[in-house]
Structure formats: C-alpha cells, structure tokens
Amino acid sequence: MSSFLQEYQRQPKLFIDLPSRGKWYNDTIIKDANYEQLPVFGMNAMDEIMFKTPDSLYSGESTAEVVRSCIPSILDPWQLVGYDIDYILIAIRIATYGDAMPAETMCPFCATRAENEISLTKMLGGFANYETDFTFDLNDFTFHLSPITYTANTKFSLEQYQNERAMFQIDKLTDQEMDFKDKDKELKKLYAIGSDINVRM
C-alpha cells in the first residue's frame, strides 16, 4: 500500500547523459559508473539556501552539495570535469525553474534595455558530441591530456582570488604607508605568483 505522501515526494524533472560520456569516472564518482539517463531533481529549500551562503559558494562546497542533492547518482561531485559541471548546473536550473531564463541586454549605442529569455535546453544541446579526447603530438611524443576536475578548478580559483586581493591591497597603499620601490617589488612577486598559477592550471 503506497503512502498518501508519495505524490509529494521529489520527482525527477529530466534525465541527462553527461557530455564526457563517463570517460574520466568510475563507480566511486558516479553510481554504477553510469553516465546515461541520470535523473535530475529540482532544488529544494535547503539547496536554495546553500546557493545564498557566501562562505559555501567561496569554497565550492555549495555547488558540490546541490549537485549531490539534485542528482543523487553522482557520489563525488568534486571529481567531475569542468564541462560536465557546467552541463549539470544548467540541467538543475531547468529542473528547478523551467527552460526559460530571463536575461536583460543593453544596446551599446543607445543604452536601451531589452528583456529577453534564453532557452536553456538549447544551451544543453550545445554540449552534444563534445570532444573528450585531448591529445597532441610534439616531435616524437604524443601527449594525452585530461580535463581539470572541479576540485582542482576550485583550488586554482581560490589561489587566484587571494593573489588578486593581495595585489589590490598593496596597490591602494599610499607612498606614506609603503615606499614606491617596496610596493613595486611586492607587486612583481604577486604577478609572478599569478603567472605560476596560470601555468599550473
């Protein structure tokens, strides 16, 4: 006998196939290592709160938790590759609010504002036949590259943000607070750190 509350339980709003076709995953990342027809549920109230919590957004934790909540088949969102994360977040948006996303544009010539709608389903279609093999030849070597994971991307973004904040703080110091030569020296160090982050990324 089914419960009278069953009709109020969350139901999947759509089913998705990951653009990566599971190339980079195993069953510790996605349940049964299955990347096809994953059910996507709309966000609940707790998910909405997670996306409004600055600390969780800053650390990337809110995105990971919402992915777990809305697509229970994904066991470890931190190991997802970047283009799968983008695809998943668009799918969650569709499951929660529908296909149309309002967008405001402004004419660069007359500054007239116009209200438009973006079809998110069409955006998902742009991920079809996504290239998953990243290889190139150099002299006698063939390099096989793997895409960056959400964990690595978040780590690099945090490093970059902290470095940019340090540059901003030093740049706004007056000559009385820091000598020009010392300021220039510190900024050069931070520029070097920024270049290193980009190379590692």
Coordinates of all heavy atoms in Angstrom, one line a residue, residues 133-181:
D133 N 38.5 13.4 -26.1 CA 39.9 13.0 -26.3 C 40.8 14.3 -26.5 O 40.6 15.0 -27.5 CB 40.1 12.0 -27.4 CG 39.5 10.7 -27.1 OD1 39.8 10.2 -26.0 OD2 38.9 10.1 -28.0
F134 N 41.7 14.5 -25.6 CA 42.6 15.6 -25.7 C 44.0 15.1 -25.9 O 44.7 14.8 -25.0 CB 42.5 16.5 -24.5 CG 41.1 16.9 -24.2 CD1 40.3 16.2 -23.3 CD2 40.5 18.0 -24.8 CE1 39.0 16.6 -23.0 CE2 39.2 18.4 -24.5 CZ 38.5 17.7 -23.6
T135 N 44.5 15.1 -27.2 CA 45.8 14.6 -27.5 C 46.5 15.5 -28.5 O 45.8 16.2 -29.3 CB 45.8 13.2 -28.0 OG1 45.1 13.2 -29.3 CG2 45.2 12.2 -27.1
F136 N 47.8 15.6 -28.4 CA 48.6 16.3 -29.4 C 50.0 15.7 -29.5 O 50.5 15.1 -28.6 CB 48.6 17.8 -29.1 CG 49.5 18.2 -27.9 CD1 50.8 18.5 -28.1 CD2 48.9 18.3 -26.7 CE1 51.6 18.9 -27.0 CE2 49.7 18.6 -25.6 CZ 51.0 18.9 -25.7
D137 N 50.6 15.9 -30.7 CA 51.9 15.3 -31.0 C 52.9 16.5 -31.0 O 52.7 17.5 -31.5 CB 51.9 14.6 -32.3 CG 51.0 13.4 -32.4 OD1 51.0 12.7 -31.4 OD2 50.3 13.2 -33.4
L138 N 54.1 16.2 -30.4 CA 55.2 17.1 -30.4 C 56.4 16.3 -30.6 O 56.8 15.5 -29.7 CB 55.2 17.9 -29.0 CG 56.3 19.0 -28.9 CD1 56.1 20.1 -29.9 CD2 56.3 19.5 -27.5
N139 N 57.1 16.6 -31.7 CA 58.3 15.8 -32.1 C 57.9 14.3 -32.1 O 57.0 13.9 -32.8 CB 59.5 16.1 -31.2 CG 59.9 17.6 -31.2 OD1 59.7 18.2 -32.3 ND2 60.3 18.1 -30.1
D140 N 58.6 13.5 -31.3 CA 58.3 12.0 -31.3 C 57.4 11.6 -30.1 O 57.2 10.4 -29.9 CB 59.6 11.3 -31.1 CG 60.6 11.5 -32.3 OD1 60.0 11.7 -33.4 OD2 61.8 11.5 -32.2
F141 N 56.8 12.6 -29.5 CA 55.9 12.3 -28.3 C 54.5 12.6 -28.6 O 54.1 13.5 -29.4 CB 56.3 13.1 -27.1 CG 57.7 12.9 -26.6 CD1 58.8 13.7 -27.0 CD2 58.0 11.8 -25.8 CE1 60.1 13.4 -26.6 CE2 59.2 11.5 -25.3 CZ 60.3 12.3 -25.7
T142 N 53.6 11.8 -28.0 CA 52.1 12.0 -28.1 C 51.7 12.3 -26.6 O 51.9 11.5 -25.8 CB 51.4 10.8 -28.7 OG1 51.8 10.6 -30.0 CG2 49.9 11.1 -28.7
F143 N 51.1 13.4 -26.4 CA 50.6 13.8 -25.1 C 49.1 13.6 -25.0 O 48.3 14.0 -25.9 CB 50.9 15.3 -24.8 CG 52.4 15.6 -24.7 CD1 53.1 15.8 -25.9 CD2 53.0 15.6 -23.5 CE1 54.5 16.1 -25.8 CE2 54.3 15.9 -23.4 CZ 55.1 16.1 -24.5
H144 N 48.7 12.9 -23.9 CA 47.3 12.6 -23.7 C 46.9 13.4 -22.4 O 47.4 13.2 -21.3 CB 47.0 11.1 -23.4 CG 47.4 10.2 -24.5 ND1 46.6 9.9 -25.6 CD2 48.6 9.6 -24.8 CE1 47.2 9.2 -26.4 NE2 48.4 8.9 -26.0
L145 N 46.0 14.4 -22.6 CA 45.6 15.3 -21.5 C 44.3 14.9 -21.0 O 43.4 14.5 -21.7 CB 45.6 16.7 -22.0 CG 46.8 17.2 -22.8 CD1 46.6 18.7 -23.2 CD2 48.1 17.1 -21.9
S146 N 44.1 15.2 -19.7 CA 42.8 15.0 -19.0 C 42.3 16.4 -18.6 O 43.1 17.2 -18.2 CB 42.9 14.1 -17.8 OG 43.8 14.6 -16.8
P147 N 41.0 16.6 -18.7 CA 40.4 17.9 -18.3 C 40.5 18.1 -16.8 O 40.7 17.2 -16.0 CB 38.9 17.8 -18.7 CG 38.7 16.3 -18.7 CD 39.9 15.6 -19.1
I148 N 40.5 19.4 -16.4 CA 40.6 19.7 -15.0 C 39.3 19.4 -14.2 O 38.2 19.5 -14.7 CB 40.9 21.2 -14.9 CG1 41.4 21.6 -13.5 CG2 39.7 22.1 -15.2 CD1 42.0 23.0 -13.4
T149 N 39.5 18.9 -13.0 CA 38.4 18.5 -12.1 C 37.8 19.7 -11.4 O 38.5 20.7 -11.3 CB 38.8 17.4 -11.1 OG1 39.7 17.9 -10.2 CG2 39.3 16.2 -11.8
Y150 N 36.6 19.5 -10.8 CA 36.0 20.6 -10.0 C 36.9 20.9 -8.8 O 37.1 22.1 -8.4 CB 34.6 20.2 -9.6 CG 33.9 21.3 -8.9 CD1 33.8 22.6 -9.4 CD2 33.4 21.1 -7.6 CE1 33.1 23.6 -8.7 CE2 32.8 22.1 -6.9 CZ 32.6 23.4 -7.5 OH 32.0 24.4 -6.8
T151 N 37.5 19.9 -8.2 CA 38.4 20.1 -7.1 C 39.6 21.0 -7.4 O 39.9 22.0 -6.8 CB 39.0 18.8 -6.5 OG1 37.9 18.0 -6.1 CG2 39.9 19.0 -5.4
A152 N 40.3 20.7 -8.5 CA 41.4 21.5 -9.0 C 41.0 22.9 -9.4 O 41.7 23.9 -9.1 CB 42.1 20.7 -10.1
N153 N 39.9 23.0 -10.1 CA 39.4 24.3 -10.6 C 39.1 25.2 -9.4 O 39.5 26.4 -9.4 CB 38.2 24.1 -11.4 CG 37.8 25.4 -12.1 OD1 38.5 26.0 -12.8 ND2 36.5 25.8 -11.8
T154 N 38.5 24.7 -8.4 CA 38.2 25.4 -7.2 C 39.4 25.9 -6.5 O 39.5 27.0 -6.0 CB 37.3 24.6 -6.2 OG1 36.1 24.2 -6.9 CG2 36.9 25.4 -5.0
K155 N 40.4 25.0 -6.3 CA 41.6 25.3 -5.7 C 42.4 26.4 -6.4 O 42.8 27.4 -5.8 CB 42.5 24.0 -5.6 CG 43.9 24.2 -5.0 CD 44.6 22.9 -5.0 CE 46.0 23.1 -4.4 NZ 46.9 23.8 -5.3
F156 N 42.5 26.3 -7.7 CA 43.1 27.4 -8.5 C 42.4 28.7 -8.4 O 43.0 29.8 -8.3 CB 43.3 27.0 -10.0 CG 44.3 25.9 -10.2 CD1 44.1 24.8 -10.9 CD2 45.6 26.1 -9.8 CE1 45.0 23.8 -11.1 CE2 46.6 25.2 -10.0 CZ 46.3 24.0 -10.7
S157 N 41.1 28.7 -8.4 CA 40.3 29.9 -8.3 C 40.5 30.6 -7.0 O 40.6 31.8 -7.0 CB 38.8 29.6 -8.5 OG 38.5 29.1 -9.8
L158 N 40.6 29.8 -5.9 CA 40.8 30.4 -4.6 C 42.2 31.0 -4.5 O 42.3 32.1 -4.0 CB 40.7 29.3 -3.5 CG 39.3 28.8 -3.1 CD1 39.3 27.6 -2.2 CD2 38.5 30.0 -2.4
E159 N 43.2 30.3 -5.1 CA 44.6 30.9 -5.1 C 44.6 32.2 -5.9 O 45.2 33.2 -5.5 CB 45.5 29.9 -5.7 CG 46.0 28.8 -4.8 CD 47.1 28.0 -5.5 OE1 48.2 28.5 -5.8 OE2 46.9 26.8 -5.8
Q160 N 43.9 32.2 -7.0 CA 43.9 33.3 -7.9 C 43.2 34.5 -7.2 O 43.7 35.7 -7.3 CB 43.2 33.0 -9.2 CG 43.7 33.8 -10.4 CD 43.3 33.1 -11.7 OE1 42.3 32.4 -11.8 NE2 44.2 33.3 -12.7
Y161 N 42.1 34.2 -6.6 CA 41.3 35.3 -5.9 C 42.2 35.9 -4.8 O 42.2 37.1 -4.6 CB 40.0 34.7 -5.3 CG 39.3 35.7 -4.4 CD1 38.5 36.7 -5.0 CD2 39.3 35.6 -3.1 CE1 37.9 37.6 -4.2 CE2 38.7 36.5 -2.2 CZ 37.9 37.5 -2.8 OH 37.3 38.4 -2.0
Q162 N 42.8 35.0 -4.0 CA 43.6 35.5 -2.8 C 44.8 36.4 -3.4 O 45.2 37.4 -2.8 CB 44.1 34.4 -2.0 CG 43.0 33.7 -1.2 CD 43.4 32.3 -0.7 OE1 44.4 31.8 -1.0 NE2 42.5 31.7 0.1
N163 N 45.4 35.9 -4.5 CA 46.5 36.7 -5.0 C 46.1 38.0 -5.6 O 46.7 39.1 -5.4 CB 47.2 35.9 -6.2 CG 48.5 36.4 -6.6 OD1 49.4 36.5 -5.8 ND2 48.6 36.7 -7.9
E164 N 44.9 38.1 -6.2 CA 44.4 39.3 -6.8 C 44.0 40.3 -5.6 O 44.2 41.5 -5.7 CB 43.2 39.1 -7.7 CG 43.6 38.5 -9.0 CD 42.4 38.0 -9.8 OE1 41.3 38.2 -9.4 OE2 42.6 37.5 -10.9
R165 N 43.5 39.7 -4.5 CA 43.1 40.6 -3.4 C 44.4 41.2 -2.8 O 44.4 42.4 -2.4 CB 42.4 39.7 -2.3 CG 41.0 39.4 -2.6 CD 40.1 40.6 -2.6 NE 40.0 41.3 -1.3 CZ 39.5 42.5 -1.2 NH1 39.1 43.2 -2.2 NH2 39.5 43.1 0.0
A166 N 45.5 40.4 -2.7 CA 46.7 40.9 -2.2 C 47.3 42.0 -3.0 O 47.8 43.1 -2.5 CB 47.8 39.8 -2.0
M167 N 47.2 41.8 -4.4 CA 47.6 42.9 -5.3 C 46.8 44.2 -5.1 O 47.4 45.3 -5.1 CB 47.5 42.4 -6.7 CG 48.6 41.3 -7.1 SD 48.2 40.6 -8.7 CE 48.6 41.9 -9.8
F168 N 45.5 44.0 -5.0 CA 44.7 45.2 -4.8 C 45.0 45.9 -3.5 O 45.1 47.2 -3.5 CB 43.2 44.7 -4.8 CG 42.2 45.8 -4.4 CD1 41.9 46.7 -5.4 CD2 41.6 45.9 -3.2 CE1 41.0 47.8 -5.1 CE2 40.7 46.9 -2.9 CZ 40.4 47.8 -3.8
Q169 N 45.2 45.2 -2.4 CA 45.6 45.8 -1.1 C 46.9 46.6 -1.2 O 47.0 47.7 -0.7 CB 45.7 44.7 0.0 CG 44.4 44.0 0.3 CD 43.3 44.9 0.9 OE1 43.6 46.0 1.4 NE2 42.0 44.6 0.7
I170 N 47.9 46.0 -1.9 CA 49.2 46.7 -2.0 C 49.1 47.9 -2.9 O 49.6 48.9 -2.6 CB 50.3 45.7 -2.4 CG1 50.6 44.7 -1.3 CG2 51.5 46.4 -2.9 CD1 51.5 43.5 -1.7
D171 N 48.4 47.7 -4.0 CA 48.3 48.8 -5.0 C 47.6 50.0 -4.4 O 47.9 51.2 -4.8 CB 47.5 48.3 -6.2 CG 47.6 49.2 -7.4 OD1 48.7 49.6 -7.7 OD2 46.6 49.5 -8.0
K172 N 46.7 49.9 -3.5 CA 46.0 51.1 -3.0 C 46.7 51.7 -1.8 O 46.3 52.7 -1.3 CB 44.5 50.7 -2.6 CG 44.4 49.9 -1.3 CD 42.9 49.7 -1.1 CE 42.7 49.1 0.3 NZ 41.2 49.0 0.7
L173 N 47.9 51.1 -1.4 CA 48.6 51.8 -0.3 C 49.2 53.1 -0.8 O 49.7 53.2 -1.9 CB 49.8 50.8 0.2 CG 49.4 49.5 0.9 CD1 50.6 48.7 1.1 CD2 48.7 49.8 2.2
T174 N 49.3 54.0 0.1 CA 49.9 55.3 -0.3 C 51.4 55.3 -0.1 O 51.9 54.3 0.5 CB 49.3 56.4 0.6 OG1 49.7 56.2 2.0 CG2 47.8 56.5 0.5
D175 N 52.1 56.3 -0.6 CA 53.5 56.3 -0.5 C 54.0 56.5 1.0 O 55.1 56.0 1.3 CB 54.1 57.5 -1.3 CG 53.9 57.4 -2.8 OD1 53.7 56.2 -3.2 OD2 53.9 58.4 -3.5
Q176 N 53.1 57.0 1.8 CA 53.4 57.1 3.2 C 53.4 55.8 3.9 O 54.1 55.5 4.8 CB 52.5 58.1 3.9 CG 52.7 59.6 3.6 CD 52.2 60.0 2.2 OE1 51.2 59.4 1.8 NE2 52.8 61.0 1.6
E177 N 52.5 54.9 3.4 CA 52.3 53.6 4.0 C 53.3 52.6 3.5 O 53.7 51.7 4.3 CB 50.9 53.1 3.7 CG 49.8 53.9 4.4 CD 48.4 53.4 3.9 OE1 48.2 53.4 2.7 OE2 47.6 53.1 4.8
M178 N 53.8 52.7 2.3 CA 54.8 51.8 1.7 C 55.6 52.6 0.7 O 55.0 53.2 -0.2 CB 54.1 50.6 1.1 CG 55.1 49.6 0.5 SD 54.3 48.1 -0.2 CE 54.6 46.9 1.1
D179 N 56.9 52.4 0.7 CA 57.8 53.0 -0.2 C 57.5 52.5 -1.6 O 57.2 51.3 -1.8 CB 59.2 52.7 0.2 CG 60.2 53.3 -0.8 OD1 60.4 54.6 -0.8 OD2 60.8 52.6 -1.6
F180 N 57.6 53.4 -2.6 CA 57.3 53.0 -4.0 C 58.1 51.8 -4.5 O 57.5 50.9 -5.1 CB 57.6 54.2 -5.0 CG 57.4 53.9 -6.4 CD1 56.1 53.8 -6.9 CD2 58.5 53.6 -7.2 CE1 55.9 53.5 -8.3 CE2 58.3 53.3 -8.6 CZ 57.0 53.2 -9.1
K181 N 59.4 51.7 -4.2 CA 60.2 50.6 -4.6 C 59.8 49.3 -4.0 O 59.7 48.3 -4.6 CB 61.7 50.9 -4.3 CG 62.3 51.9 -5.2 CD 63.8 52.1 -4.9 CE 64.5 53.1 -5.8 NZ 65.9 53.3 -5.5

